[in-house]
Amino acid sequence: MNWYLGVLKNYAGFSGRARRTEFWMFVLFNLIVQIVLTVIDSVIGLNSVLSGLYALAVLIPSLAVSVRRLHDTDKSGWLLLLGLIPLVGGIILIVFSATAGTAGPNKYGHDPKQLGAHV
C-alpha cells in the first residue's frame, strides 16, 4: 500500500526512475481496486461508473510510473507508445517492466535501489 501511495504522491512526476517493486505494486493495487469497483458496479447496477471514474483518476499516475519504470531500464518514456501496437507492444512493455534497472546512475537519474539503501 505504501508503494501505491508513494506513486500517488508523485502524481504527475514523469522524470526520474521507478524500481520494479514500485511499479508492480502499483499495478497490483490498481488491479485489486479495479476488480472491487467492478463488482460493486455490477451489484449496484451502475454500468461501470465507479470503475471508469477510478481508471480516469489514476490514468496520469499510471502513465508517470510507467515512464519512470522505462527510465530505470535506461529507455525513453516514449517507448510507452509501443503499447498501441496490438498484442506485441504489450508483451514488449511487460518485458521492459520486468527487466532489472540499470545499476548506478543513468541519464534519467540516480539508482532508486541505492537511494533506498542510504535513506
Side-chain angles (χ1 to χ4, degrees):
M1 178 91 162
N2 289 334
W3 292 104
Y4 178 80
L5 295 175
V7 170
L8 291 182
K9 286 179 186 174
N10 194 6
Y11 187 82
F14 287 85
S15 62
R17 296 168 61 176
R19 296 175 63 178
R20 279 185 291 187
T21 307
E22 177 183 1
F23 176 79
W24 288 111
M25 288 301 200
F26 182 77
V27 169
L28 176 65
F29 194 84
N30 265 343
L31 180 65
I32 292 169
V33 170
Q34 197 68 283
I35 289 170
V36 168
L37 289 176
T38 301
V39 169
I40 292 171
D41 276 341
S42 65
V43 168
I44 297 175
L46 290 177
N47 294 329
S48 302
V49 171
L50 293 177
S51 58
L53 287 174
Y54 175 75
L56 189 60
V58 295
L59 176 65
I60 299 295
S62 298
L63 292 173
V65 75
S66 298
V67 167
R68 290 195 315 268
R69 180 68 206 126
L70 286 169
H71 286 174
D72 192 41
T73 59
D74 210 14
K75 293 175 179 46
S76 171
W78 288 104
L79 287 177
L80 196 58
L81 294 174
L82 287 173
L84 297 174
I85 301 171
L87 189 63
V88 176
I91 292 170
I92 292 170
L93 288 175
I94 289 171
V95 169
F96 286 164
S97 299
T99 304
T102 306
N106 67 15
K107 63 184 174 184
Y108 298 104
H110 295 289
D111 187 351
K113 282 187 177 180
Q114 290 178 350
L115 291 177
H118 291 106
V119 174

